[in-house]
Amino acid sequence: MKLTKREHEIMKLYWQHGPMFIRDLLEYYDEPRPHFNTLSTMVRTLEKNGYMGHKQYGSTYQYYPLISEQEYGKETIASSVKNYFKGSYMNVVSAFVSDEKISVDELQTLIDMIQAKKDT
């Protein structure tokens, strides 16, 4: 599931700063800050969707990410490959080559990495 812009913004703050209460999260926003209840609802939605967990302290909750930024990035790339490149990573690399976004040296480095992994 892809995050909305606001959800991604919240997740980036948790990835950068670690476990936080909603009141701590608010401190990272410039004025005008979002309302406490708005952030709380968004964080609880992220939790419902499997991105966040929480630890309870009395009547308050400290939230933390259940998925790393790298894991989310991999999921996003895999989804994009499936949806826009017919599930083919070769099509992705071909698009980069066609658009001159990857050099011959970078391609060779990838080939060397694949070969090294194959040899182990």
Side-chain angles (χ1 to χ4, degrees):
M1 178 181 186
K2 189 172 180 194
L3 297 172
T4 67
K5 183 180 175 183
R6 297 287 302 263
E7 289 171 337
H8 190 257
E9 185 178 271
I10 290 169
M11 288 301 297
K12 282 200 76 78
L13 289 169
Y14 276 99
W15 288 326
Q16 291 169 357
H17 303 287
M20 289 184 281
F21 298 95
I22 301 299
R23 69 178 178 274
D24 299 326
L25 181 61
L26 272 170
E27 296 301 315
Y28 291 103
Y29 283 89
D30 294 328
E31 293 291 343
R33 290 188 172 117
H35 193 276
F36 179 94
N37 291 343
T38 302
L39 277 183
S40 179
T41 298
M42 293 182 78
V43 170
R44 282 185 280 121
T45 298
L46 286 165
E47 182 178 33
K48 184 179 86 173
N49 291 333
Y51 290 102
M52 302 288 286
H54 75 265
K55 186 172 181 182
Q56 187 170 356
Y57 293 93
S59 62
T60 189
Y61 298 96
Q62 183 183 49
Y63 293 93
Y64 54 89
L66 293 176
I67 184 171
S68 72
E69 188 170 15
Q70 184 177 9
E71 290 169 322
Y72 178 71
K74 285 181 181 180
E75 284 182 12
T76 302
I77 289 169
S79 176
S80 293
V81 170
K82 179 182 173 192
N83 293 326
Y84 302 109
F85 295 94
K86 300 178 183 172
S88 169
Y89 285 86
M90 181 67 168
N91 289 345
V92 174
V93 174
S94 294
F96 289 147
V97 169
S98 294
D99 293 343
E100 299 179 1
K101 301 289 185 191
I102 192 168
S103 70
V104 172
D105 289 339
E106 290 170 321
L107 283 172
Q108 187 59 54
T109 300
L110 289 173
I111 291 167
D112 293 345
M113 288 170 59
I114 293 166
Q115 192 63 47
K117 189 156 184 101
K118 182 179 168 187
D119 292 343
T120 58

